Amino acid sequence: IKNMYLLPEKLADKYSVVVFIACHRFETTKKKLSFLSFDDISLVSKAIMKDWTSGGVDVDESGEPSLDRDFLNYLRDLKMLGDKEKDHRYAVCQYLGRNNM
């Protein structure tokens, strides 16, 4: 981006983050994220660009944005485990409450 558009390095860096967020349709306008600054979002986006893209390239052969599919599947599995843990914790608390423990 820096060389293509002849932008200063700092501006090209910010522009690459904005393009990455837009291409991957990240939800940055949620109320839960309103306390984050652009620098915070930039830090996370750069980590994703560096570590979660296949070979450091975030587009596939057709030019569509893509992230490492295996990694996304692992994240989905972790989310399911977390949800099951919450259900288990709730059931244990209910049991303890019913038995006055």
Side-chain angles (χ1 to χ4, degrees):
I1 292 174
K2 178 183 166 189
N3 295 332
M4 183 181 284
Y5 297 107
L6 303 174
L7 295 174
E9 188 167 342
K10 193 171 183 178
L11 184 58
D13 188 52
K14 289 180 179 181
Y15 184 75
S16 68
V17 169
V18 171
V19 169
F20 183 79
I21 289 170
C23 284
H24 290 287
R25 297 180 183 100
F26 289 163
E27 293 288 334
T28 58
T29 58
K30 299 259 186 200
K31 189 175 183 177
K32 290 187 227 180
L33 302 176
S34 63
F35 68 94
L36 295 175
S37 68
F38 179 78
D39 290 336
D40 297 330
I41 294 172
S42 176
L43 181 71
V44 172
S45 296
K46 288 175 189 174
I48 294 171
M49 283 188 262
K50 179 178 175 268
D51 298 327
W52 293 9
T53 55
S54 299
V57 179
D58 64 341
V59 294
D60 60 13
E61 305 83 37
S62 64
E64 292 295 315
S66 68
L67 295 173
D68 185 353
R69 294 290 168 205
D70 290 336
F71 187 72
L72 291 175
N73 288 332
Y74 293 141
L75 286 177
R76 190 175 299 120
D77 292 343
L78 283 173
K79 184 178 186 310
M80 286 191 296
L81 286 174
D83 292 342
K84 287 181 183 178
E85 179 186 350
K86 289 177 191 173
D87 294 340
H88 177 71
R89 187 176 349 152
Y90 178 74
V92 168
C93 288
Q94 287 241 325
Y95 175 79
L96 294 174
R98 279 186 294 229
N99 295 317
N100 296 323
M101 297 181 136

